[in-house]
Amino acid sequence: MTTGTGRPLRADARRNREKILSAAVRVFAEDGLEAHLERIAKEAGVGSGTLYRNFPTREALIEAAYRNELSRLCDAAPDLLAAMPPREALRAWMGRFIDYATAKLGMAEALRAVVDSGVNPYAHSRELMMTALTSLLDAASAAGTVRSDISPADMFAALTGVALASGKPEQREQAERLLDLTLDGLRYGTAD
């Protein structure tokens, strides 16, 4: 992460930025467009000046919070593959996808306002997710633990369906069962 001048952010500035983005996701998910930026700053444990120095407009904060959630999701794929067997890594990532989708659904009203302002926060979302899913599916397929005939686009569609059907926080148990069911469907009938 860099400053506007291209210099890397100091460690404390980077931590503050991350705290602001995490708080923004929570508050926008709870309050939508009614969210007060002062509340976000308070929940992040920073002053309003720090928030506005990092994110001069509400739209900039919403877009950055969304993109941060997307990056956290997609950047997790290689770490998960390094830490556990490919099938387990895929399942862990699927759970993180539901976390991401839940945050996105909660922020829907705020994200619509960003789109209405002429900014497209989703510009590279699909491409980043396809890259993460490709690495996870390829590793699991190479290990012989999932079918080799499932494309990343098919998996994305299945995960999106689970998120739409069970993406609210109070539906998490159902979402987990549906993710397990989806993963079981990938295991059986492995293509030759």
Side-chain angles (χ1 to χ4, degrees), residues 5 20 25 32 49-50 56 59 66 76 96 127-128 133 144 153 155 177:
T5 62
I20 292 167
V25 169
T50 300
E59 290 77 15
Y66 168 75
R96 289 179 184 217
E127 177 184 327
L128 292 170
L133 275 170
M155 190 66 192
R177 288 191 306 273

Side-chain angles (χ1 to χ4, degrees), residues 11-192:
D12 62 328
R14 192 171 45 253
R15 280 190 302 273
N16 284 341
R17 181 178 168 80
E18 290 299 319
K19 290 191 299 188
I20 292 167
L21 292 173
S22 293
V25 169
R26 283 190 314 274
V27 174
F28 281 118
E30 290 172 14
D31 299 343
L33 286 177
E34 302 302 315
H36 292 280
L37 297 186
E38 293 76 21
R39 178 178 168 213
I40 293 170
K42 184 177 180 180
E43 287 199 18
V46 302
S48 293
T50 300
L51 185 144
Y52 285 107
R53 192 168 35 259
N54 280 277
F55 307 102
T57 66
R58 173 181 292 272
E59 290 77 15
L61 176 58
I62 295 166
E63 179 183 7
Y66 168 75
R67 289 184 190 272
N68 189 59
E69 290 297 300
L70 176 67
S71 292
R72 287 178 47 190
L73 171 66
C74 295
D75 293 348
D79 296 337
L80 292 169
L81 285 169
M84 56 188 71
R87 182 179 170 82
E88 291 175 29
L90 175 61
R91 178 57 181 85
W93 193 89
M94 290 165 68
R96 289 179 184 217
F97 180 89
I98 297 300
D99 294 339
Y100 156 82
T102 299
K104 183 179 163 190
L105 289 171
M107 293 179 63
E109 185 181 1
L111 286 165
R112 271 192 296 279
V114 170
V115 171
D116 290 345
S117 76
V119 175
N120 181 2
Y122 310 116
H124 302 288
S125 300
R126 184 172 173 83
E127 177 184 327
L128 292 170
M129 279 195 237
M130 290 302 113
T131 299
L133 275 170
T134 297
S135 67
L136 291 159
L137 289 170
D138 285 353
S141 177
T145 57
V146 302
R147 296 167 48 165
S148 60
D149 63 336
I150 303 299
S151 74
D154 291 341
M155 190 66 192
F156 179 70
L159 291 173
T160 300
V162 171
L164 289 172
S166 304
K168 294 180 182 167
E170 64 272 14
Q171 297 173 306
R172 188 55 187 240
E173 286 182 27
Q174 180 184 37
E176 292 295 332
R177 288 191 306 273
L178 292 172
L179 293 177
D180 289 340
L181 180 64
T182 301
L183 191 59
D184 284 347
L186 295 178
R187 177 177 39 197
Y188 300 112
T190 10
D192 294 325

